[in-house]
Amino acid sequence: MTEMLLRYFRKRQQQVETEKVYDTQCPFCSMQCKMQLIEQSTVTRKTYKTVGKDNPTSEGRLCIKGLNAHQHAVHNDRIKHPLLKVNGEFVRISWDEAINLIKEKFTEIQTEHGNNALSVYGSATITNEEAYLLGKFARVALGTRYIDYNGRLCMSAAASAAAQTFGMDRGFTNTIQEIPHSRCLILAGTNVAECQPTIMPYFEKAKENGSFIIAIDPRETATTKMADLHLKVKPGMDAALTNGLLKVILEENLIDEQFIAERVNGFNEVREYVASLDLEEISEQTGVPLDQIKKAATVFGREESGMIFTARGIEQQTDGSASVRNFLNILLATGKIGKEYSGYGAVTGQGNGQGAREHGQKADQLPGYRSIENEEHRNYIADVWGIREQDLPRKGVSAFEMIQKIDEGEIKGMFLMCSNPVVSNPSAEFVKKALEKLDFFVAVDMFISESARLADLILPATSYLETPGTMTNVEGRVTLREASFPIRGEAKHDWQIICDVAEALGKGEYFAFSSPEEIFNELRVATRGGIADYSGITYDRLREEKGILWPCPDQDHPGTKRLFGQEFAHADGKAKMVVVQSEPEIPKEKPTEEFPLYLTTGRVMSHYLTGVQTRKSSTLAAREFESYMEIHPSTAEKFHIKDNTLVKIESKRGSIVVRSKWSQTIRKDTVFVPFHWADSQNVNRLVSKKLDPTCRMPGFKVSAVKISPIAN
């Protein structure tokens, strides 16, 4: 009888099994890989499996994060209802209560302290529609100048360098498909093998085709192992190294004189400065052997085509913008830009790092990469939004500077969307104490992050599986993310939350949207004629064409595969070279007797940003469940640090405790700590408040520290 019952229930279970397929794309890195979530349901449970879907950028590939992304989206810790902090504890309230409270508190703050007493802190993981709407919300619904976003901590150095050099900033100047055919590739401060794994086959194919690959990184990584030449530069000395490369290129006459004469300004000043430098001194400054500097420069200069890719390793420094500009100087001097298989790629970190900065979240930008200080641009956007130009606020300040203004008491309230500044910003303990000073703090998130813990009110947001909209990937290719997964509890889309709050504040007429596509159609108008022109892109085209590269000024335009073929985006059509000093304008920390080691930071493959989402994935958390300090064995022995033991790391700002990991491949004067963990393992506690003078990027990649073992 028992056996018969078992057979019956097994048969019954099989009979009621159903399968649903949800189209989506990965919420993590800038490759924005297309994929499908397959949900299988039986009588007893649901199971999920993610598979890749063909697309022009990642060609159906997925990495370990994408394969397991759904685990955080279906996690039981998801916030499903608005939460209000009462006596230090969060309690459930209704949406009506939450929205009315925001209206009351925001109105009270602005009545007493003025419009600019409120701030908005955005994200580079939200959709283009939501990024656009958030910028409009700050300036129209709140009337505040204070809006910036977490992409300031990621892409701002590369964005400012490209804008200053070329006149515009798009992630890649060429398509990703050109990489395998380029004859020489420089990967500067980028570990794509772990941070953007699905791009790696393009570089592997290039190597198979005979391309010479040069990697620049203080550490040996999975990416540097692929390279033909690894320049193990001393942390913070990228600008000096690039001057060394330029000097060799000039001395060996490997420049493109015709290209320079016709299309470049500023070359003579750069040549004069570089001629004054000494290569032996540069080798000593950078820690890179002279013969390696010469080899890298001559190979890149002599090859008929070449591409340079930069990422956080050189960008997250107090001279990050200048360092990127120096790499762009190399491209311009050799004429390797605006032509087939030659160009620049900023390897964006966050999923929508490109699109999120194009449409109004940055303190000084309006949609379409328009400037908020340009009168023509202001008038155009004011007309699109139906407001008076004089009612449009002027530029604000960068993300970290907003935190400083909170600390100083100028900003009294914050609307935080899908970001975790307590973990992601430098001097993290200072950031935490500053946010605790806010009179009213609203956080929109899927989880109670380290920052949301400090909020007075948390609003539940939907996940990537539930929120449709467009994203702009690493190439500058606009893609449409389909999303139809059932919404968890009472969570709402970010754009709906923005519209609801705007309505309560009496600005509903400017936010009368019922779908992401409606928002996108207004965004198209707002970007028309701008640098980042999306006006020719439609949802129907995106579905049919699987993505379109901007600028795309009309619906008959195919999108722009390669930039700068005829001219650059400056008024005179020329690019601008600039002298970059080997020693930065703002001095970087260097090892001292008290703090004898360099600290640099970065990512690991299993985690993303501050880890709020990936640490909710059982599969990903199991791969890397705690932070660590990578250290050379000889350095470890000098400081009495055993392998796989707890160690205290201290800087002038604070201390953390992590586990040691010996590595023969890191520089002996440097330790490395990933930044995905919080609280006592939050490495950003150790980073200074100094900012890049151009783009206001913090100097995450260079700190001076001391280390000591933790007694068992």
Side-chain angles (χ1 to χ4, degrees):
M1 185 66 178
T2 303
E3 184 63 31
M4 290 177 61
L5 284 171
L6 286 172
R7 283 200 301 269
Y8 169 79
F9 282 117
R10 288 195 191 104
K11 186 175 180 180
R12 175 66 177 159
Q13 187 172 341
Q14 291 170 357
Q15 286 176 340
V16 299
E17 185 173 10
T18 61
E19 183 174 281
K20 296 180 181 178
V21 178
Y22 299 96
D23 286 322
T24 186
Q25 61 194 52
C26 184
F28 299 130
C29 89
S30 58
M31 288 295 285
Q32 281 300 287
C33 302
K34 290 285 187 180
M35 58 193 193
Q36 292 179 321
L37 179 69
I38 301 170
E39 177 189 85
Q40 294 180 324
S41 301
T42 68
V43 170
T44 56
R45 64 176 187 148
K46 290 181 180 180
T47 59
Y48 300 95
K49 180 175 71 173
T50 300
V51 296
K53 187 177 180 182
D54 189 37
N55 65 93
T57 303
S58 58
E59 300 175 327
R61 294 183 289 271
L62 293 178
C63 77
I64 188 70
K65 287 196 291 290
L67 287 168
N68 294 284
H70 63 276
Q71 291 182 350
H72 81 264
V74 300
H75 199 281
N76 287 334
D77 286 352
R78 281 278 303 273
I79 304 170
K80 300 180 180 67
H81 316 281
L83 299 174
L84 176 66
K85 186 176 285 180
V86 179
N87 297 324
E89 300 291 332
F90 285 110
V91 298
R92 177 179 174 178
I93 62 172
S94 70
W95 271 105
D96 284 346
E97 289 173 310
I99 298 299
N100 285 333
L101 181 62
I102 295 173
K103 174 186 177 181
E104 175 191 333
K105 293 294 186 179
F106 278 10
T107 301
E108 182 181 292
I109 287 171
Q110 290 190 314
T111 299
E112 185 173 350
H113 303 287
N115 284 3
N116 293 323
L118 290 180
S119 62
V120 176
Y121 196 116
S123 170
T125 59
I126 59 180
T127 65
N128 288 322
E129 291 82 357
E130 290 163 342
Y132 167 78
L133 208 60
L134 193 61
K136 182 179 180 181
F137 171 78
R139 288 153 181 144
V140 175
L142 299 182
T144 180
R145 69 170 61 208
Y146 290 131
I147 176 173
D148 211 67
Y149 76 129
N150 62 12
R152 176 73 67 173
L153 314 175
C154 176
M155 288 303 301
S156 59
S160 61
Q164 291 170 333
T165 302
F166 304 140
M168 68 181 289
D169 154 48
R170 189 182 80 181
F172 282 19
T173 62
N174 307 54
T175 66
I176 204 167
Q177 287 81 10
E178 291 192 35
I179 293 173
H181 308 288
S182 185
R183 297 300 303 156
C184 185
L185 303 168
I186 294 179
L187 294 165
T190 176
N191 182 14
V192 289
E194 292 194 75
C195 301
Q196 287 86 13
T198 57
I199 201 177
M200 276 295 283
Y202 290 104
F203 292 101
E204 292 165 348
K205 184 65 175 176
K207 193 172 179 68
E208 290 174 12
N209 290 342
S211 176
F212 191 87
I213 300 178
I214 302 164
I216 302 172
D217 199 308
R219 305 167 58 224
E220 185 175 307
T221 66
T223 303
T224 66
K225 289 176 183 177
M226 171 191 65
D228 297 283
L229 178 61
H230 176 197
L231 307 183
K232 197 176 282 189
V233 65
K234 193 179 294 183
M237 298 310 300
D238 303 282
L241 175 61
T242 316
N243 278 330
L245 299 174
L246 268 172
K247 185 174 180 67
V248 175
I249 287 169
L250 290 167
E251 288 182 348
E252 297 295 323
N253 198 30
L254 301 175
I255 63 174
D256 187 330
E257 294 183 358
Q258 182 178 350
F259 181 88
I260 292 168
E262 295 176 356
R263 304 195 58 191
V264 177
N265 291 321
F267 172 75
N268 289 332
E269 291 82 356
V270 173
R271 177 168 57 185
E272 182 178 345
Y273 171 72
V274 170
S276 70
L277 302 176
D278 181 271
L279 280 173
E280 294 282 358
E281 290 182 5
I282 289 175
S283 177
E284 179 67 25
Q285 280 179 298
T286 62
V288 179
L290 184 55
D291 63 326
Q292 292 186 7
I293 295 175
K294 289 181 176 179
K295 184 173 183 180
T298 53
V299 172
F300 190 84
R302 285 173 180 163
E303 288 290 359
E304 62 183 357
S305 61
M307 303 178 81
I308 295 178
F309 300 88
T310 68
R312 308 304 82 71
I314 71 163
E315 297 164 13
Q316 285 184 325
Q317 303 195 36
T318 53
D319 64 344
S321 182
S323 294
V324 175
R325 290 203 73 176
N326 223 12
F327 278 102
L328 301 185
N329 282 342
I330 292 177
L331 285 178
L332 294 172
T334 58
K336 290 183 171 66
I337 184 75
K339 58 184 68 171
E340 200 171 37
Y341 315 140
S342 291
Y344 170 61
V347 186
T348 314
Q350 298 191 65
N352 199 27
Q354 182 69 49
R357 69 178 180 269
E358 294 169 355
H359 303 307
Q361 286 193 105
K362 284 184 74 174
D364 58 349
Q365 284 185 189
L366 293 170
Y369 259 136
R370 288 182 164 91
S371 169
I372 202 166
E373 293 299 312
N374 181 294
E375 296 305 314
E376 181 183 344
H377 295 178
R378 291 173 59 82
N379 278 297
Y380 180 83
I381 295 300
D383 185 60
V384 172
W385 288 348
I387 64 173
R388 300 184 306 166
E389 180 275 330
Q390 56 264 43
D391 293 333
L392 187 60
R394 294 283 172 172
K395 71 176 180 180
V397 297
S398 71
F400 186 73
E401 289 170 305
M402 285 202 306
I403 304 293
Q404 291 176 315
K405 288 190 175 294
I406 293 171
D407 179 64
E408 294 161 3
E410 182 176 341
I411 293 176
K412 303 289 186 180
M414 174 175 278
F415 187 82
L416 173 71
M417 179 161 279
C418 304
S419 192
N420 191 14
V422 165
V423 180
S424 61
N425 273 270
S427 296
E429 282 301 297
F430 163 78
V431 174
K432 180 176 181 291
K433 290 175 182 177
L435 294 181
E436 289 173 338
K437 294 181 178 181
L438 288 167
D439 290 351
F440 191 62
F441 179 16
V442 181
V444 181
D445 213 324
M446 293 189 295
F447 298 101
I448 303 179
S449 70
E450 290 75 18
S451 299
R453 284 182 206 160
L454 308 178
D456 298 289
L457 177 67
I458 307 175
L459 304 179
T462 51
S463 76
Y464 76 103
L465 288 173
E466 302 145 25
T467 307
T470 62
M471 311 283 278
T472 306
N473 73 9
V474 67
E475 298 177 276
R477 186 184 301 273
V478 184
T479 63
L480 176 60
R481 182 178 74 193
E482 306 283 8
S484 58
F485 196 76
I487 292 174
R488 313 286 284 185
E490 295 179 6
K492 290 189 178 186
H493 302 312
D494 296 325
W495 65 266
Q496 290 177 318
I497 295 171
I498 293 168
C499 291
D500 287 350
V501 176
E503 171 74 27
L505 295 172
K507 301 291 184 177
E509 64 183 293
Y510 304 103
F511 297 85
F513 300 104
S514 59
S515 71
E517 188 170 6
E518 282 187 15
I519 303 169
F520 188 76
N521 285 333
E522 182 175 294
L523 180 155
R524 291 171 58 210
V525 176
T527 65
R528 181 175 294 135
I531 290 173
D533 192 333
Y534 283 30
S535 59
I537 303 174
T538 66
Y539 270 37
D540 287 342
R541 285 192 66 186
L542 291 174
R543 289 190 175 104
E544 182 180 344
E545 301 174 40
K546 300 181 180 179
I548 298 171
L549 289 148
W550 68 262
C552 181
D554 62 70
Q555 291 189 45
D556 294 323
H557 194 285
T560 307
K561 290 187 175 181
R562 188 180 304 119
L563 300 174
F564 315 131
Q566 301 300 319
E567 62 180 8
F568 292 95
H570 289 299
D572 62 359
K574 292 187 175 184
K576 296 179 180 179
M577 292 182 70
V578 67
V579 171
V580 175
Q581 301 288 334
S582 290
E583 289 292 339
E585 177 182 336
I586 297 177
K588 299 178 185 179
E589 283 190 342
K590 294 183 178 179
T592 63
E593 187 174 342
E594 183 181 3
F595 299 99
L597 295 171
Y598 287 109
L599 165 70
T600 193
T601 69
R603 303 185 183 200
V604 297
M605 184 182 289
S606 302
H607 288 290
Y608 177 69
L609 299 185
T610 63
V612 173
Q613 296 173 64
T614 50
R615 284 187 274 122
K616 295 296 184 184
S617 163
S618 57
T619 301
L620 298 177
R623 289 170 64 96
E624 298 279 0
F625 60 87
E626 65 177 356
S627 188
Y628 61 87
M629 177 190 73
E630 190 176 289
I631 185 171
H632 195 280
S634 64
T635 310
E637 290 174 359
K638 178 180 177 181
F639 292 96
H640 312 292
I641 305 295
K642 295 180 180 180
D643 191 21
N644 198 36
T645 59
L646 293 179
V647 56
K648 184 178 183 180
I649 312 176
E650 297 175 82
S651 75
K652 294 177 181 178
R653 273 74 55 185
S655 65
I656 61 171
V657 175
V658 295
R659 194 169 299 279
S660 63
K661 180 185 287 188
W662 284 17
S663 170
Q664 294 281 355
T665 59
I666 192 169
R667 290 179 57 91
K668 294 180 181 180
D669 58 2
T670 302
V671 294
F672 166 83
V673 179
F675 56 65
H676 309 292
W677 284 270
D679 301 325
S680 63
Q681 294 189 327
N682 181 1
V683 69
N684 286 334
R685 286 183 174 186
L686 310 181
V687 177
S688 85
K689 300 176 184 178
K690 293 181 180 179
L691 304 176
D692 183 303
T694 300
C695 65
R696 316 310 286 164
M697 169 75 81
F700 293 105
K701 289 297 185 274
V702 184
S703 301
V705 297
K706 60 182 176 181
I707 59 175
S708 57
I710 299 291
N712 291 329

